[in-house]
Amino acid sequence: MVQHGGSGVLASVQDDFPRWYQDILEKAQLADNGPVRGTMVIRPYAYAMWERMQADVDARIKRTGAENVSLPLFIPESYLEREAEHVEGFSPELAVVTHAGGKELTEPVVVRPTSETLFGALMSKWVQSHRDLPMLLNQWANVVRWELRPRLFLRTTEFLWQEGHTAHATAEDAAAYARRIHLEVYRDFLQDTLAIPVLVGVKSPRERFAGAVNTMTCEAMMGDGKALQMATSHELGQKFARAFDIGYTDAAGAVQMCWTTSWGSSTRMMGGLIMSHGDQAGLRVPPRIAPIQAVVVAVKDDERTVAAASALADELTDAGVRVRLDARSTPGFGRRIVEWELKGVPLRIELGPRDLDAQQATVARRDAEGKTTLPLDRLRTVVPALLEEMQANLLTQARERLAGRTADVETVAEAIAAAATGFARIPYAALGETGEDELAAKAVTVRCLQTADGELPGDAAPERLVAIVGRSY
């Protein structure tokens, strides 16, 4: 990763990655702790990134035919109890309200940890005929899971996310739609917009979502070699349909049971963005998600320089670039540069009296070391091209790290050793349940199962799959 002048502000990214992460959150003004343990305040700069993530993912979801809804925050406790395996999976994380309005409630209500059960009850009401299918719904919401070991953006008691829920006439249609969401929405967004390469695969039976018959996952490697689960999609079979009586009348007049799916991504993607691309100087934000793609910095605060910097910022804005003008008189120039490096703004354009005399600007890319000079009259066309080049370069750098820190192994012992610094690929047949137990004893897990060529499995037999093994957040 690129080393810049702000290295003294943060803990060492190589020697103390957890402290480095906390420093980034504070120094780049991304997030803070809320007053209740485990809760999170997302600050404006990070929230602007989340808004761009949300808009991009939302557009992709809508292209698959899903529609947005808004469901209540509170769920009757009895709803969760109707799907025993599901509630068992969430029981330790539930926040339950027993009193309200000064009285004890007749039935406790749960603050939603996820909304499968509520969607199930509503789909039972809304789905009557085969003409109502498929029913494709999504909501953007906050959820609460009482986290014992909170870490901002990665695991918090309350977080923001989207959760999709669908009902289908056949198992094949449900599986195909969940797979489409996983590849066309999650994988493509993470790689094309966040510049984070992900491994797509299915979870092993012990790692599956509670109540699911199949869970697909996007796993990314962070800067320290650990895995982060970025998004998941679940085939729920007919378990929820039976529990909530989600049935329909088919074309022949017979009553059939639906097949359902659910899928979600959250503000955890912000943590992934930080840990995938950040370096010793701070954040490195991919241009497509950056709230500020270029900052024009006036080196001096004299009238001529500020006027020229302002005119350049306006010109780049007209060219479709998201620009911020920094014409502050304080703090000093060096301190301002450190601030913009910490925030990871992709492109920094410095303009001073001598630059104006030469009709040029000094340009620094956040994805590479050094600076260059470019003619002022070329910036309007050059900057958009540079941003796309940087977007591709960040993805390339992340892919190189993923490839360089993934080892092909044959034994559980070798997998555990490889997981100390990255991922291991091991034949699933060589692992089995006993092998997963051995991994768990060393805080290592099977992140996903893939085909031999790294694809999302279809109907491949488990013994033909490859397990991706690693430590995780």
Side-chain angles (χ1 to χ4, degrees):
M1 289 186 180
V2 180
Q3 308 300 310
H4 285 260
S7 58
V9 177
L10 307 171
S12 171
V13 67
Q14 282 87 18
D15 301 332
D16 194 349
F17 197 80
R19 183 66 232 175
W20 169 87
Y21 179 76
Q22 291 302 123
D23 284 350
I24 287 270
L25 297 177
E26 177 187 353
K27 303 294 185 182
Q29 300 179 337
L30 301 179
D32 209 341
N33 293 301
V36 175
R37 184 183 180 276
T39 59
M40 170 175 59
V41 176
I42 304 176
R43 300 186 66 174
Y45 186 59
Y47 197 79
M49 285 186 236
W50 172 246
E51 287 178 313
R52 295 195 64 81
M53 292 182 190
Q54 184 181 25
D56 191 322
V57 172
D58 191 61
R60 293 171 190 267
I61 288 172
K62 285 173 178 170
R63 284 200 292 270
T64 71
E67 298 176 294
N68 284 344
V69 295
S70 179
L71 272 56
L73 175 68
F74 297 119
I75 302 173
E77 191 175 48
S78 59
Y79 277 40
L80 274 77
E81 292 171 349
R82 286 164 70 178
E83 214 298 308
E85 187 178 351
H86 185 67
V87 70
E88 181 181 349
F90 278 106
S91 285
E93 302 176 344
L94 296 181
V96 183
V97 179
T98 57
H99 291 73
K103 298 180 180 180
E104 184 174 358
L105 297 177
T106 304
E107 178 186 353
V109 297
V110 173
V111 183
R112 63 178 168 223
T114 178
S115 298
E116 264 81 5
T117 58
L118 189 51
F119 271 95
L122 291 169
M123 284 178 170
S124 174
K125 181 179 179 181
W126 296 341
V127 174
Q128 300 297 322
S129 160
H130 64 94
R131 297 181 185 87
D132 299 321
L133 297 174
M135 183 167 285
L136 312 174
L137 304 174
N138 176 65
Q139 79 164 339
W140 291 91
N142 59 338
V143 291
V144 170
R145 299 178 186 177
W146 214 256
E147 188 60 53
L148 298 178
R149 292 178 295 278
R151 184 175 293 183
L152 294 178
F153 287 124
L154 303 180
R155 292 186 180 276
T156 49
T157 294
E158 180 187 13
F159 56 91
L160 305 179
W161 80 342
Q162 60 74 212
E163 52 179 312
H165 300 269
T166 70
H168 304 259
T170 66
E172 293 76 15
D173 190 48
Y177 188 78
R179 188 181 182 94
R180 181 183 179 189
I181 287 286
H182 204 68
L183 297 177
E184 295 182 17
V185 176
Y186 296 145
R187 181 197 61 186
D188 289 356
F189 166 75
L190 290 165
Q191 297 190 159
D192 296 346
T193 302
L194 296 194
I196 299 175
V198 291
L199 302 176
V200 291
V202 298
K203 289 292 189 180
S204 65
R206 75 163 61 192
E207 297 289 336
R208 271 183 206 145
F209 177 68
V213 297
N214 182 40
T215 290
M216 291 168 278
T217 182
C218 290
E219 300 287 329
M221 179 185 286
M222 302 295 99
D224 61 349
K226 285 187 177 180
L228 186 68
Q229 179 180 289
M230 301 291 282
T232 51
S233 306
H234 314 287
E235 296 171 48
L236 303 176
Q238 293 183 312
K239 289 185 178 183
F240 281 87
R242 291 194 187 96
F244 291 91
D245 193 26
I246 311 173
Y248 69 96
T249 303
D250 66 19
V255 176
Q256 305 287 352
M257 198 62 64
C258 289
W259 300 78
T260 65
T261 79
S262 70
W263 25 276
S265 61
S266 74
T267 38
R268 172 177 281 203
M269 293 190 295
M270 276 295 304
L273 181 74
I274 297 165
M275 295 193 295
S276 288
H277 298 307
D279 65 11
Q280 191 57 63
L283 279 173
R284 297 194 306 165
V285 183
R288 291 180 188 169
I289 209 68
I292 305 168
Q293 294 176 310
V295 57
V296 178
V297 182
V299 177
K300 302 289 185 182
D301 64 348
D302 63 274
E303 185 175 341
R304 175 181 176 235
T305 303
V306 171
S310 179
L312 176 58
D314 289 343
E315 185 180 354
L316 292 175
T317 298
D318 291 342
V321 180
R322 295 186 290 279
V323 182
R324 178 71 58 86
L325 171 65
D326 182 356
R328 293 175 291 171
S329 57
T330 59
F333 176 70
R335 175 64 181 273
R336 287 187 285 150
I337 296 308
V338 169
E339 286 183 12
W340 294 118
E341 287 192 333
L342 278 168
K343 289 183 178 293
V345 172
L347 210 57
R348 190 175 71 250
I349 304 171
E350 301 167 6
L351 200 58
R354 281 181 289 185
D355 293 307
L356 289 176
D357 291 342
Q359 283 298 294
Q360 65 185 24
T362 301
V363 178
R365 291 170 49 154
R366 191 61 185 83
D367 65 328
E369 291 194 32
K371 299 180 182 182
T372 188
T373 56
L374 292 170
L376 284 174
D377 60 5
R378 288 188 56 209
L379 289 177
R380 183 185 179 94
T381 55
V382 169
V383 166
L386 276 178
L387 292 171
E388 281 302 299
E389 185 180 314
M390 295 171 69
Q391 179 80 28
N393 189 41
L394 286 172
L395 179 59
T396 296
Q397 291 176 8
R399 279 177 169 158
E400 289 173 349
R401 179 184 64 229
L402 175 61
R405 299 179 71 170
T406 300
D408 288 298
V409 302
E410 297 295 332
T411 68
V412 174
E414 290 173 337
I416 292 171
T421 56
F423 293 170
R425 285 170 43 92
I426 182 172
Y428 189 48
L431 198 58
E433 288 191 19
T434 302
E436 285 198 67
D437 290 339
E438 292 181 50
L439 294 177
K442 299 294 184 180
V444 177
T445 54
V446 174
R447 303 313 308 158
C448 66
L449 305 176
Q450 298 184 310
T451 63
D453 56 358
E455 296 297 321
L456 183 65
D459 299 326
E463 61 270 15
R464 296 174 56 192
L465 299 179
V466 173
I468 304 298
V469 168
R471 299 169 300 149
S472 69
Y473 285 96

